[in-house]
Amino acid sequence: MKIIVSASGQTLGAQIDPRFGRAAFFIAVDTDTNTFVAHDNVQNLNAAQGAGIQSAETVSRIGGEVVITGHCGPKAFKTLSAAGIKVVVGAQGTVADAIAAFKSGALVPTDAANVEGHWV
Amino acid sequence: MIVAIASGKGGTGKTTVAVNLAAVMEGPVTYADCDVEEPNGHIFLKPALNSNKTVGIPVPVVDTERCVGCGRCAEVCRFNAIACVREKVLVFSELCHGCGGCVFACPAKAISEKKHTIGVVETGYSNHVSFVQGCLRVGAAMSPPLIRAVKEVLNTGEWVILDAPPGTSCPVIAAVKGSDFVVLVTEPTPFGLHDLKLAVETVRQLGIPFGVVINRCDIGDQQVPEYCHRESIPLLLEIPHERRIAEAYSRGEMVVDAVPEFKDSFIQLDRCIRSFLTPQNDPEGASQ
């Protein structure tokens, strides 16, 4: 399974970036092979608007099945849901911590956005 | 003739200057409130409104039968208003600027447009002043198309006092562009000066002659008049920090009615602006 974690750095030891749309990096962890790849998100980090929507597209393109992040707004959530991607919010600590918490069942997918949108 | 009342800094007295100037002008004059996010000129002019029309922008509607899920629409959208995931297209109308790029780019001709209401343009009268205002719908994030809709109903053959939004961003440009003269209202404080400089740069870029009104001229310091002198910017009017003006404002009253001795000040301002707009005036005229 491919899990995408919003992160402030490019390693498994990096802290979770609590913002989904404007996360610094997305770390794609393949739990079957225990490998990971860091994708930078600079384009959306600097977007004037719609960062969450485009980040959701990015995650979909990478082939993520689950997103683990701190906060996810309504437009990003809608886009991720349309892409069939599960969303886990409220994660803290490092990327490795979040993966472990998800595997152990301490972190479970949400069925709604947990923050307000920035527009409308 | 369109005279735009603008400012860099908010809360300097744009609306006070605009409504009182409109009230003292002789002959047909229109007051146009282009501060559509929070139009407040109506509080002072108390117009009888007699018509309104809703204003919208064209937003995309995707025909899922025709859509091939190529994602071209999402790629061309500069405003991130469209997402394409798993060959499904999602449209976020509230982010759309109505440019029509997606319609143009769609190879399957699957996108049509529908009107997404962003606000309303209302017109009416207040004594001899024709009144028009734009009122942005609560939750709508984009005001320039509504500001342009306000300007479309103006009779530019007559005098128009256009109350602009504060700042120097897109809504201000949309409001001020095409004006014949700009009055920049400021206050003599470091904040007022800082934002005045930004406003001056903006108006110079637009190539519109302009002058400055200093409100609450006896507070703060001398940096604003010194700056205007240094930059050869005409100082059109100074309004003192006067309790009676503030009280009138707080009650929604016109300064020219509540504190009649200031009526002459606004008449002078009117004359001053007209002198800059009269062709036979000296070529050094207003600051470009």
Side-chain angles (χ1 to χ4, degrees):
Chain A
M1 180 170 40
K2 207 175 212 180
I3 302 176
I4 312 291
V5 186
S6 65
S8 54
Q10 303 181 64
T11 64
L12 295 177
Q15 291 293 307
I16 297 274
D17 193 326
R19 304 170 307 170
F20 171 68
R22 295 182 193 276
F25 296 94
F26 289 118
I27 303 210
V29 180
D30 188 328
T31 56
D32 300 330
T33 59
N34 269 328
T35 55
F36 74 94
V37 180
H39 299 264
D40 97 43
N41 191 38
V42 68
Q43 189 188 341
N44 296 322
L45 193 55
N46 294 325
Q49 62 176 27
I53 296 165
Q54 294 305 312
S55 290
E57 263 203 353
T58 301
V59 167
S60 175
R61 209 175 307 123
I62 295 169
E65 294 156 77
V66 176
V67 162
I68 301 179
T69 187
H71 305 297
C72 181
K75 293 195 274 292
F77 188 83
K78 184 178 172 186
T79 310
L80 288 167
S81 300
I85 298 166
K86 292 190 177 69
V87 184
V88 177
V89 295
Q92 289 177 331
T94 65
V95 174
D97 293 341
I99 297 287
F102 180 71
K103 281 183 175 170
S104 74
L107 282 175
V108 293
T110 178
D111 56 7
N114 69 332
V115 287
E116 294 279 313
H118 301 297
W119 293 80
V120 183
Chain B
M1 285 289 183
I2 301 180
V3 178
I5 315 296
S7 75
K9 187 180 174 304
T12 55
K14 279 181 302 299
T15 297
T16 300
V17 169
V19 296
N20 286 285
L21 177 61
V24 302
M25 288 183 101
E26 285 175 12
V29 55
T30 299
Y31 166 84
D33 203 338
C34 285
D35 190 0
V36 302
E37 287 179 56
E38 41 200 342
N40 62 347
H42 67 93
I43 294 171
F44 305 94
L45 288 168
K46 302 177 178 64
L49 298 175
N50 52 23
S51 80
N52 69 74
K53 73 166 192 201
T54 59
V55 175
I57 56 168
V59 299
V61 180
V62 180
D63 179 345
T64 50
E65 297 287 309
R66 284 191 166 191
C67 177
V68 294
C70 67
R72 205 46 208 127
C73 51
E75 275 171 38
V76 299
C77 182
R78 288 198 55 193
F79 306 102
N80 293 340
I82 304 181
C84 182
V85 288
R86 291 198 172 182
E87 303 190 350
K88 273 183 288 190
V89 175
L90 303 176
V91 175
F92 296 87
S93 299
E94 63 271 36
L95 299 184
C96 176
H97 282 221
C99 73
C102 52
V103 179
F104 187 73
C106 179
K109 302 212 181 306
I111 303 181
S112 58
E113 292 176 317
K114 68 168 182 191
K115 183 170 150 180
H116 175 71
T117 300
I118 59 165
V120 58
V121 173
E122 298 173 308
T123 53
Y125 288 91
S126 170
N127 297 321
H128 77 292
V129 179
S130 299
F131 179 93
V132 52
Q133 71 175 4
C135 196
L136 196 67
R137 187 174 63 86
V138 172
M142 204 180 23
S143 61
L146 180 58
I147 292 169
R148 287 192 285 271
V150 171
K151 292 171 74 175
E152 273 172 22
V153 304
L154 299 177
N155 178 356
T156 51
E158 297 176 355
W159 284 91
V160 175
I161 304 301
L162 186 154
D163 201 350
T168 49
S169 61
C170 297
V172 178
I173 309 297
V176 169
K177 205 172 180 179
S179 298
D180 298 287
F181 192 83
V182 178
V183 175
L184 295 174
V185 185
T186 188
E187 59 182 30
T189 63
F191 296 113
L193 177 63
H194 177 271
D195 290 358
L196 173 65
K197 286 178 178 172
L198 297 177
V200 166
E201 282 177 40
T202 306
V203 179
R204 279 186 173 149
Q205 191 80 38
L206 292 169
I208 306 170
F210 65 96
V212 164
V213 168
I214 303 181
N215 193 12
R216 297 188 282 270
C217 63
D218 41 6
I219 64 166
D221 55 34
Q222 286 303 304
Q223 288 189 71
V224 167
E226 283 167 11
Y227 165 76
C228 290
H229 179 74
R230 214 163 48 238
E231 294 283 324
S232 304
I233 298 167
L235 238 179
L236 310 169
L237 175 67
E238 290 184 305
I239 304 170
H241 185 49
E242 163 68 53
R243 186 178 179 90
R244 288 175 300 158
I245 293 178
E247 284 176 354
Y249 181 88
S250 72
R251 288 193 296 260
E253 294 171 3
M254 303 284 286
V255 175
V256 293
D257 295 333
V259 198
E261 66 259 40
F262 285 108
K263 192 170 180 180
D264 278 344
S265 301
F266 287 101
I267 291 170
Q268 282 302 322
L269 176 60
D270 176 24
R271 288 200 186 126
C272 198
I273 292 166
R274 283 175 200 258
S275 74
F276 285 120
L277 291 170
T278 309
Q280 61 265 33
N281 206 276
D282 79 50
E284 286 174 28
S287 190
Q288 279 277 3

